Amino acid sequence: MCRSCGAALRQTFVDLGMSPLCQTQITRDQLNQMERFFPLHTYVCSECFLVQLQEYVSPDEIFSADYPYYSSYSTSWVAHARRYVEHVHHDFEIGPNDLVVEIASNDGYLLQHFVERKIRCLGVEPAQGVAEAARQKGIRTITRFFGTQTAKDLRAAEGPARLVLGNNVLAHVPNVNDFVGGVELILDERGFATFEFPHLMRLVESNQFDTIYHEHFSYFSLLAVRRIFENHGLCVFDVRELETHGGSIRLYVCRPGVYEVHARVPALERRERDAGYADLATYVDFAERVRETKRRLLSFLVQAKDTGKRVVGYGAPGKGNTLLNYCGIREDFIDYTVDLNPHKQGTYTPGTRIPIHDPSRIFETRPDYVLILPWNLAKEITQQMSRIREWGGRFVIPIPEVRVLD
Ligand SMILES: [Zn+2]
């Protein structure tokens, strides 16, 4: 059943087979144990065109105490958060008496910039470990999932919020109607909310099938997401296209009439309609492109190994795990991968069991190719690792199709 409109789901968007949870890590003692795999089969709703994954795994299991994703390890993401805070603080005149609530506030990568400006803020973060990291930075954080019940409790305790924001969380909630209903409940009469999430149009255009994983329950076009907010009495008054996470949109919502609707909203909707996102046939072609990408990546790796090249990975992000599992890439193709996050070093990728080391390992072993798994951070990574060129090492990007960088 469609999580937005309740229609029956019949049309496959793409089926990536069975996959383990992308943010789990395998420790050395777990190497001899079995792992759970879940279907990674997405559908598109023929009524509202929401692309979605069924709730094969509950959020409690995914965002557990040891959820390993710490936003602050990405310097470009922290910089993006700082620019956002400058933008809303200035353009919407947020004052010291206003309350800012961030949903899925992670380790405080964003709210720290509000705290610096002496603005009252509160983080809502279900994962214990990252929430504790935020508290240690002096950011008030409660450890809960967000929905209508949390919103009622928070409103009673803290009053209404001038700004509610959520980055990369709307796609992560199975009950999106309860979530958006909660936003409506906690928002001040004159308040506004912003949400950032990957844009379905960019996912399809750039063939980013690896961003499909069990944490991501929904994949939004503006057409589909606007309908959800409108069903809860909220109006989309602006939209910005961003380059983060391979192409995201930031949605601005308020109660009707608080802010004037910017021309960017109908303009992007028109582009989506013109590109066919209100037509089921557009969604059906995607699956074959994904299979073709798999064949091309495997052809590259087979040829590299046949000619004696050494290939390693960079990064162990969720998207990398979808790619590795779907393509069946293990230590037979990639000797190891590396990650800046010390919580991941010394563990193994889920399903494929590729060891994860500190990035310095690459300078010690001098491989021929470094396959960048978090391709959205390719610029940052190629700069940080530019010394691989000293021994003729080259970077490889797997998406939209395999490509060796000059
Ligand atoms: Zn629907």
Side-chain angles (χ1 to χ4, degrees), residues 319-340:
K319 60 167 71 72
N321 290 326
T322 291
L323 182 87
L324 298 171
N325 276 289
Y326 172 64
C327 296
I329 297 167
R330 299 183 177 78
E331 277 182 276
D332 42 8
F333 288 118
I334 290 184
D335 297 347
Y336 60 84
T337 189
V338 299
D339 203 285
L340 273 180

Side-chain angles (χ1 to χ4, degrees), residues 16-22 24 26 33-41 56-57 61 214 321-322 324-330 349-353:
L16 298 173
M18 298 294 286
S19 210
L21 292 185
C22 271
T24 50
I26 305 301
Q33 292 169 18
M34 53 111 52
E35 243 180 285
R36 294 185 305 162
F37 281 62
F38 302 89
L40 201 48
H41 187 162
Y56 297 112
V57 192
E61 287 195 56
H214 294 107
N321 290 326
T322 291
L324 298 171
N325 276 289
Y326 172 64
C327 296
I329 297 167
R330 299 183 177 78
T349 58
T352 51
R353 311 281 177 108

Side-chain angles (χ1 to χ4, degrees), residues 1-7 9 45-50 52 227:
M1 222 169 70
C2 172
R3 66 169 45 92
S4 169
C5 76
L9 294 175
C45 175
S46 52
E47 296 294 319
C48 73
F49 302 107
L50 179 63
Q52 55 200 287
R227 181 168 166 163

